[in-house]
Amino acid sequence: MFWPSYPYQQYGRNYYMGRLIGEVMPYNHDHHLVRFGRELLEYPDFLFALLNIRPGMVVADIGAGVGFNSLRLARLVGPYGRVLATDIQPQMLNQLVLNAAMAGISHNIVPIVSSHSDANLPPNSCDFIILVDTYHECIDPPALLRGLHQALKPNGRIVLVEYRSEDSWMSNMYNDHRMSLLQAKLEFECNRFALSQVVESLPYQHVLIFNKV
């Protein structure tokens, strides 16, 4: 079946390339982002070790929320690196800044208010861009990916981490908050990225590494 290459609405919900776009978690549910046991589901420290985040890198955390991943990334890039933490909800970023200050690592985290169509990143600024459980909520993927393509350095990497829709036994998670490997590959490759590596070392999530073309 042919799907439009642009976002569209049907029955009051947003779609892109046949995929139902997930609804955004409101800021007053931010406790879910730091819920007990999340580390045992997603293994963030193991993930970042696999991805070889190095000191001095400029890393963008898209949909950073209250800093679950941004704070870890800030420690990895060190005092000479930067984490550009973006979110569409200023309230999330306010809590992120507070969490970073309490952890003593606010010096290299830059909060950035973004939108569904623009992450507000400077051109050619990022060595590494990561989207963890957030891309599926973007209502304008082509516009967002266009901006990320511009922000990524020529040899940079963009990493998509999403819960697997292929795992049908995960009945406790809405289908619109998961993605298949084929769907993710289709959407990114239609927006000038090339899939370079698939990592299936996490128990529940795809880790897909793309380069710009």
Side-chain angles (χ1 to χ4, degrees), residues 33-77:
L33 300 176
V34 290
R35 65 192 181 276
F36 177 77
R38 184 178 176 185
E39 291 91 344
L40 299 178
L41 288 174
E42 300 185 3
Y43 294 91
D45 297 316
F46 175 67
L47 168 65
F48 295 142
L50 284 176
L51 296 173
N52 191 28
I53 308 297
R54 300 186 305 277
M57 293 179 71
V58 177
V59 175
D61 182 14
I62 309 301
V66 298
F68 179 79
N69 290 307
S70 293
L71 271 62
R72 290 175 166 85
L73 291 167
R75 294 188 182 96
L76 291 172
V77 301

Side-chain angles (χ1 to χ4, degrees), residues 23-168:
E23 296 185 337
V24 175
M25 178 184 296
Y27 69 87
N28 56 355
H29 290 182
D30 62 358
H31 59 276
H32 181 74
L33 300 176
V34 290
R35 65 192 181 276
F36 177 77
R38 184 178 176 185
E39 291 91 344
L40 299 178
L41 288 174
E42 300 185 3
Y43 294 91
D45 297 316
F46 175 67
L47 168 65
F48 295 142
L50 284 176
L51 296 173
N52 191 28
I53 308 297
R54 300 186 305 277
M57 293 179 71
V58 177
V59 175
D61 182 14
I62 309 301
V66 298
F68 179 79
N69 290 307
S70 293
L71 271 62
R72 290 175 166 85
L73 291 167
R75 294 188 182 96
L76 291 172
V77 301
Y80 300 107
R82 280 185 301 156
V83 175
L84 309 180
T86 82
D87 204 278
I88 64 173
Q89 300 180 82
Q91 299 89 342
M92 290 282 197
L93 293 177
N94 291 340
Q95 187 62 49
L96 183 152
V97 169
L98 179 60
N99 292 343
M102 292 175 63
I105 51 174
S106 58
H107 60 282
N108 62 348
I109 299 179
V110 181
I112 298 174
V113 178
S114 61
S115 70
H116 280 283
S117 59
D118 188 357
N120 285 332
L121 298 173
N124 198 37
S125 61
C126 299
D127 301 295
F128 183 92
I129 298 174
I130 189 164
L131 304 92
V132 179
D133 304 333
T134 185
Y135 172 76
H136 63 264
E137 296 179 352
C138 175
I139 63 174
D140 194 351
L144 175 70
L145 293 175
R146 185 163 54 248
L148 297 183
H149 192 279
Q150 293 172 353
L152 195 64
K153 293 180 180 178
N155 295 321
R157 295 173 294 159
I158 182 167
V159 177
L160 178 67
V161 182
E162 290 282 356
Y163 278 87
R164 300 185 190 99
S165 66
E166 295 91 340
D167 293 341
S168 58

Side-chain angles (χ1 to χ4, degrees), residues 51 128 152 155-160 181 184-185 188-189 192-199 207-213:
L51 296 173
F128 183 92
L152 195 64
N155 295 321
R157 295 173 294 159
I158 182 167
V159 177
L160 178 67
L181 169 59
K185 183 175 183 291
F188 271 66
E189 291 190 343
R192 300 171 60 207
F193 290 100
L195 181 62
S196 62
Q197 188 176 359
V198 177
V199 180
V207 180
L208 310 178
I209 303 174
F210 296 87
N211 299 106
K212 64 192 294 184
V213 293

Side-chain angles (χ1 to χ4, degrees), residues 174-187:
Y174 294 118
N175 287 333
D176 58 351
H177 284 261
R178 301 186 291 164
M179 289 190 71
S180 70
L181 169 59
L182 290 178
Q183 183 72 32
K185 183 175 183 291
L186 171 67
E187 295 186 21

